[in-house]
Every structure is written in structure tokens, then in C-alpha cells.
Amino acid sequence: MIKKYLRKPHYSWLVLAALCGLAFANRACGVNILTVFFLPMAEEFDWNRTQISGAASIGALIGAGASILMGRLSDYMGPRIILGIGALIVTFSMIALSQMTMIIVFYIFYGAARVSDQGLIQTVSPSTLTKWFSGNSGRAVSIYFGFMALGGVLLPLLTHLAIMDFGWRSGWLLLASVMFFIGFVPTVLLVGSPGKGEDNTGNTKSESENVPTEFSLSQTLNSKDYWFIAIAVFVTGILTAGIGLHIVPFLVGQGLSPEIAVSTVSIRFLSSSIGGFVAGFLIDRYGPRPTVIGALAIRIISIGLLIFADTFFEAIFTGALDGFSDGAQSTAVVLLLVSYFGKSNVGGIYGVTRAFKVAGFSAGPIIAAIWFDLSGSYSAVLWAFFLLAILSVILISSTRRIKV
């Protein structure tokens, strides 16, 4: 393979570059991309938004189950095959979506892309990075999540332009091309598992790498500290998706224009990238646990301000805080797991944790929607989310490293 022709101390950065390309391209499966296709597909096929959204929810739920298996498999067989298959599934699904004429075809192939997104690519990539980097791991993971956020900003714009000029089918083909050339090709050429001495030994170890013991998956699942982390991750998944999907109608209901409401979504992705990048430096200096707690505390503030937001500045500011918190937390959680339970089985451990997060993604929008339908207001559910954010801080603050 290519890596034997390169100096080993630097190869980890090529792995990072390949995974960043994959993370960027993988935003093709995000709901913010699907939103761009809503109107043109609904107009051509007379589909309603519930029908279109259903494929995303079903795919994410199946992906949550797949993440448990794929994370475990990556510990034994390495990441290249799993990530390569995931990238190909997304590529061929996007091509198939460009040719579809029936709702069942949309469900099959968009659902497959979402399973690959949640169950394969987003599960295996972060845990792979933690195995390649002995030092600067916080920085490496933050760069990865930064490119993921960048894809969330740029790909919807590029797709929208393609749809405006050439139609919605060309939008899916564009996304297929991006995944194949930026995601699949670098991944199969560069990404593998490190052997002894192949991590980034040129860096000193950070607090996140000071691991007292390597835990097996079963030992981890028998630890109350893991369950505190898993429940906190589930809760933050509820908050991220519950607020994210309903933020526009909430702000419009507060008297703001749709344009201002939508702009908060873009601000959220941009600040998420910044939050992830800043978190990387904080993790390497202070460790992942204080970073996670700080990120969750920022989310408490953002939700508290959002409840009363009714001006342009307040909407943008709360969106920036929420995005920064989400980006910082996403970066820190995987390294928190490594610092508590070690690297050897981090793929399986992160896979289970990812399943909790995806379950929260699925539950959050439903909780907010039902609450609004029953009460006619988002106020009560936002206060409930505020209390859940406080609970997540308490849970992470209650965890401690343990030995077996």
C-alpha cells in the first residue's frame, strides 16, 4: 500500500486528510441537503413533506443499530473496508436517486445512504482517528468535525445551484461525484489501522491519552460511568435534532422573518466548525471531560436565551452558541471515551454510543412536534430541553475514570 513509501510519523496526517474528505462528502446524507430537494421533488411527484422526511428517519434508526455492529467490526478488521463500502453505498444511492420515479425507490436508496452515513461512516471515522494519534488527538478530531461542518455549509449551496441550473436530478449526481472522488478514492488508498509505532509519535501525549486501563466492550457496558455518558449523549441528541428541526418555525412564530430564521441554521453550522476546532486545543490542554462539561454549559445558556429570542441579534447569537456547543461536544465525546476506556475497543464502544445519539436524533423532533401539536406552543418543550441540558451536565460531571 501507499503508506509503506511514506515516513510513518507523518502518515497519520494523510489518514486525517482522507477522513476529512470523507466527512465533507458525507454531508450529502444530511437532512439539510434533503431540505434543498423538498420543493422540486414534491412538485414533480406530488409527495408531501412527511413522506420525504420518513426516509431520513427510518434510515437513521436502522443506522443506529448498524453502528453497534460496525464499530465492533472496525476493532477487528480495520476501517478501510467498512468506510470504503459506506462511501460506495452513498455514491450509488445518489446515482439511483437521480433516476427515481417512485416513492419506494426514494425510500430504498435514501434510506441506504442514511444507514451508511449514521451506521458506517460517522461511527468508524472518529474512532479510527483516535487510534492513529497519540498526541494532538483533540486537534485531529476537531479538524475532522470541522470539515464535516464545512460540508454542511457548502454542499447545500452547491446542490442548490446545480438544481437551479440543471434540475434536481443533477443535484443528486453532483453529490455522487463529490462522494466518489473526495470521499471514496482517498479513503481506500490511505485509510487503514496503525501498527505498532505507526501513530503520531512526534507529539507528546495529552491528558486525553493518559489511559490507565484498556476496557473491553463488556467491561465498559458494566460501568455506571459509561451509562452516564451514554444517557448524556442521548439527551444531547434530543436537543440537537429537536431544536434544529423546529428552530425555523419557532423563530417565525416569535415574529422574525423566515429569512432571518433560516440564517440561524447557516450560522449554526459555521459556529459548529469553529467550536470543534477550538475544542481540539482545549482537549489537548485540559482534557476531554472539562471540555464536554463546558460545551454542555454553553448549550444551557443558548437554550435559555432562545426561549426569549425575538430579535435578529438574539436569534443569530443563540444559533452561534448552540452550534459552537454542538461542535465542541462532538469533538470531545469520542476522546472522553478513549480517556476513560482506552483505544483497543473504542470502535465498538463509540458504535454503541453513536447508537444512543442517533436514537436521540430520532426522538427529539417527534417530542417537539407532539408537544407543539398538543399545546400550540414551543415554550414548554424548550423549557423541558433546558432542564435536559442541565441533566446532561450533571451526568458528565458525575463520571470518573475507574480501573478494572
Side-chain angles (χ1 to χ4, degrees):
M1 270 298 170
I2 291 176
K3 67 180 181 180
K4 64 184 172 183
Y5 298 105
L6 300 168
R7 294 180 62 191
K8 291 179 180 178
H10 300 285
Y11 188 75
S12 55
W13 295 101
L14 292 178
V15 173
L16 173 61
L19 290 177
C20 284
L22 182 62
F24 178 92
N26 191 48
R27 295 314 298 167
C29 305
V31 292
N32 61 317
I33 286 285
L34 182 59
T35 299
V36 179
F37 290 93
F38 260 29
L39 292 179
M41 285 170 44
E43 182 178 344
E44 179 167 335
F45 298 119
D46 197 26
W47 296 344
N48 60 46
R49 299 186 184 189
T50 301
Q51 288 175 306
I52 296 174
S53 301
S57 297
I58 293 172
L61 285 173
I62 298 173
S67 67
I68 299 174
L69 174 62
M70 293 301 151
R72 188 72 168 157
L73 281 177
S74 71
D75 288 329
Y76 292 100
M77 62 185 293
R80 179 181 288 117
I81 294 176
I82 295 172
L83 293 176
I85 290 173
L88 278 182
I89 289 173
V90 173
T91 299
F92 287 120
S93 294
M94 299 292 123
I95 293 173
L97 289 170
S98 74
Q99 306 301 315
M100 67 177 172
T101 57
M102 297 183 294
I103 189 71
I104 186 63
V105 175
F106 174 68
Y107 267 70
I108 290 172
F109 288 103
Y110 190 76
R114 288 284 285 175
V115 170
S116 177
D117 163 39
Q118 299 290 340
L120 282 71
I121 296 172
Q122 289 202 53
T123 297
V124 175
S125 296
S127 59
T128 299
L129 282 176
T130 65
K131 294 178 179 180
W132 272 103
F133 285 82
S134 290
N136 287 343
S137 56
R139 213 164 301 174
V141 175
S142 72
I143 292 171
Y144 167 83
F145 280 107
F147 271 85
M148 181 184 294
L150 183 63
V153 175
L154 295 182
L155 286 184
L157 297 176
L158 295 174
T159 303
H160 177 71
L161 291 175
I163 291 173
M164 291 296 98
D165 289 339
F166 305 106
W168 65 265
R169 296 183 186 276
S170 67
W172 292 118
L173 290 175
L174 170 66
L175 295 174
S177 300
V178 170
M179 173 54 82
F180 184 79
F181 291 107
I182 299 179
F184 173 75
V185 173
T187 296
V188 297
L189 290 178
L190 298 173
V191 178
S193 296
K196 289 186 178 180
E198 284 190 300
D199 54 0
N200 197 7
T201 53
N203 299 299
T204 57
K205 293 195 176 198
S206 67
E207 191 272 345
S208 64
E209 303 299 329
N210 184 21
V211 183
T213 308
E214 294 288 338
F215 281 62
S216 69
L217 179 59
S218 61
Q219 289 170 328
T220 300
L221 295 179
N222 285 325
S223 163
K224 76 174 177 59
D225 295 276
Y226 173 75
W227 287 103
F228 283 175
I229 295 171
I231 294 170
V233 168
F234 172 71
V235 166
T236 56
I238 292 175
L239 304 180
T240 297
I243 294 174
L245 192 62
H246 292 270
I247 185 66
V248 172
F250 168 74
L251 290 175
V252 170
Q254 292 286 92
L256 299 176
S257 70
E259 291 76 16
I260 292 176
V262 170
S263 69
T264 64
V265 178
S266 297
I267 290 294
R268 184 184 180 282
F269 275 101
L270 288 171
S271 60
S272 175
S273 178
I274 297 171
F277 186 73
V278 171
F281 291 90
L282 295 176
I283 292 166
D284 288 334
R285 184 172 180 84
Y286 302 108
R289 182 172 171 270
T291 305
V292 173
I293 293 172
L296 295 175
I298 292 174
R299 171 154 279 175
I300 294 173
I301 296 171
S302 73
I303 297 174
L305 294 175
L306 177 64
I307 294 171
F308 303 101
D310 58 5
T311 68
F312 171 78
F313 175 78
E314 290 169 348
I316 295 298
F317 185 62
T318 57
L321 285 179
D322 189 61
F324 187 93
S325 170
D326 190 53
Q329 179 208 329
S330 296
T331 298
V333 163
V334 63
L335 295 169
L336 180 65
L337 294 171
V338 170
S339 72
Y340 278 30
F341 307 111
K343 287 185 177 182
S344 297
N345 299 291
V346 67
I349 295 168
Y350 185 69
V352 175
T353 310
R354 180 74 193 173
F356 276 94
K357 187 169 188 176
V358 176
F361 287 163
S362 299
I366 296 173
I367 293 171
I370 292 175
W371 210 314
F372 181 83
D373 289 340
L374 292 176
S375 66
S377 170
Y378 285 110
S379 179
V381 74
L382 287 176
W383 279 113
F385 286 171
F386 179 80
L387 296 176
L388 285 176
I390 294 175
L391 173 63
S392 67
V393 171
I394 294 173
L395 288 170
I396 298 297
S397 299
S398 301
T399 62
R400 295 292 185 274
R401 288 178 179 174
I402 60 175
K403 296 182 179 181
V404 293

